Amino acid sequence: MCVSFSQILAQTNKRPNIIFIMSDDHAYQAISAYDQRLISTPNIDRIAKKGILFTNASVTNSICAPSRATILTGKHSHLNGKVDNHFKFDTTNITFPQILQANGYQTAMFGKLHFGNSPKGFDQFKILPDQGNYYNPDFITKKEGNIKVNGYVTDIITDMTLDWLKQERTPEKPFMLMYLHKAPHRSWLMAERHLDEMTQKTSPEPKTLFDDYSGRTSPAKEAEMNILTSMSWAGDNKIYPATMDSLKIPEIGFDKQRFKMEMGRLNPSQKANFDRVYDRINAEFIKAYPSMTEQDKMRWKFQRYMQDYLGTLRSVDENVGRLLDYLEANNLMENTIIVYTSDQGFYLGEHGWFDKRFIYDESFKTPLMVSWPSQIKAGQKSNALVQNLDFAQTFLDAAGIPAPKDMQGQSLIPLMTGKSWKRDAVYYHYYEYPAEHMVNRHYAIVTKKYKLIHYYFSTDAWELIDREKDPLELKNVYNDPAYASIRKTLHKQLDALRLKYKDNSTISNGYIDRFLNDAVEGKVFGVPKQKAAEMKAKRK
Ligand code: SGN
Ligand code: CA
């Protein structure tokens, strides 16, 4: 006889706790459970060792708030409405925390949400407004209004999480806790304690740091996320505005202004620490810059990027360790599902890029590991095509609660507990354009072997990537006769997926029109009104 998971739960009457740990922009290349070249993350790795590591986990839309909306609703962006960072989240959506709360779970959220409004379904929350700040951050709280907390954001979010577990948790109830870091999001300010060590680190370069984008259609070349040409000297690499002036280096984006804003938040003792380290970096740079070639500049910027990005991750790893230590010491490990993931992946110099948005692996895929010692065997690895779309149904399934019929994911519980689980392809749709980084709109089907991608809006171009033969994703083989029959099959599969998930061009066009209208009124960050007006006129 087949006994369902919820029946087992009903028999044991021991619903699991759920801890959802998510960082912002954490590339899997920067987790040692996946890749040991860049950084060691012994604490995050503890989760993988105790449970299962996913090597093919992906997001449905590689950008912050849309990923969070998909996680909470179990629906693709076009149905939950949060297609980009620009529009506010529609709080009439039903989210899994609301369902868990209504079914007796105690719920709490700490850290970054980025919805432009407060979450429903939480007994307690303390969230960063918008992107939040690394130093002395403000929080919007459920019970204390708006507060400012002194210190470093990753430490503070962890303190809040641990305080809640120690002081507010009701042991009679199962709990669902969302612990959501801002790090390692731009502009990569690390904790003071890591400054000396991490700003002297050298990282290996990725093979495609000097990608010239020649093998693909135009969007890769047109995107504004190349480290050499789009990463700012002051705002990102922390070259002083005065150093830029003395060397006559032109600004990139809101370069100097962004640097001043970040530094303006530091208190005198924090600032003294940063000044000491930045003085050294600036002095070395002033000596080196005059003889640097364009290649040297790319290499220098990549190293500075890695130092700061990886620096922020040192404290994420330490703080995840603090949480795991607490759970272990308080006998809360066995029947707690612990997830570690990111809202999307990130380019660490692959294709010469930083940021995300594109469907090429480093941003489309995301780190994912899950432990639940009482149910999931330790030390597993899975290459199944799982997505952030699956979390809502996974957690509801684990709690023995039927999921609403219109959720679009698939519970991962059978997969993680050794039962049968199947998915041949996943669907992706990125919308935020024209916007910062200028990554064209695109949708795609991804199987283990191929990606078929359609770039639309400012271009109309198809790409076919052979994931096995071309793991670096440098060559579009869409027009290669050898792939004619594969192309045909993938087109059919893509049409079927769009139908299955109810995505169609009418919905997309609706979002484009609303977005462009806002851009024309100057309401879209990074898009000049004039440019928006030209694009709008061209569409008509
Ligand atoms: C900010 C960053 C961008 C980044 C977006 C979205 N610029 O606007 O580089 O792509 O956030 O990131 S910054 O100059 O303000 O740092 S997301 O993770 O929130 O989607
Ligand atoms: Ca993000």
Side-chain angles (χ1 to χ4, degrees):
M1 195 188 65
C2 182
V3 183
S4 76
F5 197 75
S6 42
Q7 282 170 297
I8 296 173
L9 271 179
Q11 283 159 15
T12 56
N13 195 26
K14 237 192 135 208
R15 293 182 294 172
N17 304 309
I18 299 163
I19 300 185
F20 185 79
I21 312 174
M22 186 160 78
S23 299
D24 190 356
D25 293 355
H26 194 171
Y28 54 85
Q29 310 91 292
I31 295 182
S32 44
Y34 285 98
D35 188 337
Q36 282 148 27
R37 290 170 314 143
L38 293 175
I39 190 174
S40 162
T41 50
N43 290 301
I44 295 171
D45 296 0
R46 278 159 72 182
I47 301 170
K49 280 198 190 118
K50 275 195 166 37
I52 181 164
L53 180 77
F54 289 94
T55 56
N56 238 333
S58 64
V59 294
T60 60
N61 179 1
S62 181
I63 185 154
C64 188
S67 170
R68 291 156 202 267
T70 291
I71 289 167
L72 290 175
T73 62
K75 291 181 186 173
H76 276 279
S77 307
H78 58 276
L79 294 191
N80 68 45
K82 188 84 181 98
V83 295
D84 51 41
N85 279 341
H86 175 68
F87 294 120
K88 273 196 170 52
F89 178 68
D90 172 359
T91 54
T92 63
N93 276 296
I94 302 294
T95 63
F96 83 79
Q98 285 170 286
I99 302 174
L100 288 177
Q101 189 188 43
N103 282 275
Y105 267 74
Q106 194 184 7
T107 55
M109 176 189 277
F110 301 102
K112 182 172 171 183
L113 177 63
H114 200 195
F115 273 1
N117 45 34
S118 294
K120 284 188 178 166
F122 288 91
D123 301 319
Q124 173 64 292
F125 64 76
K126 296 183 182 180
I127 56 171
L128 297 164
D130 193 35
Q131 294 281 9
N133 287 101
Y134 274 108
Y135 276 87
N136 313 321
D138 299 310
F139 283 86
I140 299 164
T141 73
K142 177 152 178 161
K143 298 177 185 168
E144 302 156 56
N146 295 351
I147 58 171
K148 181 173 179 176
V149 186
N150 289 326
Y152 184 64
V153 72
T154 309
D155 301 334
I156 295 168
I157 293 169
T158 312
D159 292 344
M160 288 172 167
T161 301
L162 288 171
D163 286 349
W164 183 82
L165 281 167
K166 290 173 192 166
Q167 291 155 23
E168 287 185 58
R169 186 172 80 86
T170 314
E172 299 75 44
K173 281 185 168 189
F175 67 85
M176 194 285 295
L177 174 65
M178 302 192 86
Y179 166 52
L180 310 171
H181 285 297
K182 171 193 170 58
H185 193 275
R186 202 178 179 187
S187 35
W188 313 302
L189 289 191
M190 70 186 93
E192 292 165 82
R193 61 185 178 276
H194 298 126
L195 272 166
D196 287 301
E197 179 196 339
M198 295 305 281
T199 55
Q200 310 206 41
K201 192 177 156 63
T202 307
S203 298
E205 289 172 6
K207 288 188 185 132
T208 56
L209 185 64
F210 293 97
D211 190 353
D212 64 2
Y213 314 112
S214 58
R216 278 129 294 157
T217 59
S218 58
K221 196 176 178 79
E222 285 163 8
E224 296 174 2
M225 46 195 251
N226 180 279
I227 293 174
L228 177 65
T229 52
S230 293
M231 183 175 276
S232 52
W233 291 99
D236 291 317
N237 292 150
K238 286 79 175 192
I239 287 305
Y240 292 142
T243 305
M244 289 178 66
D245 291 343
S246 72
L247 297 171
K248 299 196 170 45
I249 300 176
E251 279 195 88
I252 297 176
F254 301 98
D255 212 326
K256 297 177 189 170
Q257 192 192 328
R258 248 172 12 95
F259 178 82
K260 286 175 190 159
M261 265 164 48
E262 293 283 1
M263 293 300 113
R265 293 195 65 87
L266 303 180
N267 68 32
S269 107
Q270 291 163 344
K271 186 159 182 309
N273 256 325
F274 275 88
D275 282 349
R276 186 172 47 78
V277 171
Y278 289 173
D279 282 353
R280 167 175 55 78
I281 292 171
N282 275 264
E284 287 166 7
F285 182 72
I286 288 168
K287 272 199 217 138
Y289 185 78
S291 62
M292 275 186 186
T293 63
E294 293 302 284
Q295 271 205 355
D296 295 337
K297 287 179 198 164
M298 176 61 142
R299 297 207 145 104
W300 184 89
K301 282 180 125 177
F302 167 73
Q303 292 301 341
R304 279 292 303 124
Y305 166 35
M306 282 304 94
Q307 291 170 352
D308 288 354
Y309 179 93
L310 299 173
T312 69
L313 286 173
R314 286 291 306 281
S315 48
V316 171
D317 190 66
E318 286 172 358
N319 278 290
V320 167
R322 285 174 68 203
L323 174 64
L324 297 180
D325 289 347
Y326 176 83
L327 298 172
E328 269 167 9
N330 289 277
N331 208 9
L332 278 169
M333 213 64 179
E334 227 13 55
N335 196 31
T336 299
I337 299 177
I338 303 177
V339 171
Y340 187 91
T341 191
S342 169
D343 60 344
Q344 10 67 205
F346 212 68
Y347 297 103
L348 304 183
E350 298 87 0
H351 305 289
W353 288 333
F354 64 108
D355 214 66
K356 54 264 178 174
R357 300 161 192 265
F358 272 111
I359 196 174
Y360 306 113
D361 271 358
E362 293 81 2
S363 85
F364 163 67
K365 296 213 293 186
T366 195
L368 175 62
M369 55 192 84
V370 186
S371 73
W372 185 11
S374 71
Q375 305 293 334
I376 301 175
K377 222 171 70 203
Q380 297 182 71
K381 214 177 217 186
S382 166
N383 70 351
L385 294 168
V386 301
Q387 282 199 298
N388 59 347
L389 183 68
D390 301 321
F391 287 126
Q393 278 146 284
T394 301
F395 298 145
L396 293 175
D397 190 15
I401 303 165
K405 290 269 179 298
D406 58 353
M407 282 191 176
Q408 298 182 306
Q410 218 170 305
S411 167
L412 303 179
I413 301 291
L415 171 61
M416 297 191 294
T417 54
K419 317 266 170 9
S420 77
W421 192 93
K422 199 170 155 23
R423 182 184 275 149
D424 298 326
V426 293
Y427 182 62
Y428 182 85
H429 197 154
Y430 170 79
Y431 298 80
E432 195 176 274
Y433 181 96
E436 212 184 356
H437 301 299
M438 296 302 275
V439 174
N440 212 306
R441 291 170 190 251
H442 54 295
Y443 60 85
I445 178 173
V446 181
T447 67
K448 281 192 184 155
K449 286 186 156 181
Y450 303 104
K451 287 181 183 169
L452 177 68
I453 311 161
H454 185 208
Y455 290 96
Y456 68 97
F457 184 70
S458 81
T459 178
D460 179 6
W462 287 89
E463 275 183 14
L464 175 57
I465 302 285
D466 185 333
R467 303 184 78 187
E468 282 176 354
K469 291 210 178 111
D470 177 24
L472 297 178
E473 302 178 296
L474 295 172
K475 196 158 174 252
N476 174 20
V477 292
Y478 188 79
N479 292 314
D480 181 338
Y483 287 87
S485 102
I486 285 156
R487 188 178 74 201
K488 211 168 140 196
T489 310
L490 284 167
H491 265 291
K492 267 200 202 140
Q493 281 182 284
L494 174 60
D495 290 347
L497 263 192
R498 280 172 67 82
L499 214 59
K500 172 181 164 184
Y501 288 128
K502 304 187 170 68
D503 192 5
N504 61 55
S505 45
T506 319
I507 300 180
S508 284
N509 284 333
Y511 287 128
I512 292 176
D513 291 336
R514 277 172 61 204
F515 188 86
L516 276 181
N517 286 339
D518 278 4
V520 168
E521 288 175 27
K523 292 184 194 157
V524 175
F525 178 67
V527 184
K529 287 183 191 180
Q530 181 60 27
K531 195 165 189 167
E534 281 164 25
M535 286 189 173
K536 192 176 164 182
K538 229 164 83 187
R539 260 179 77 72
K540 288 280 152 62

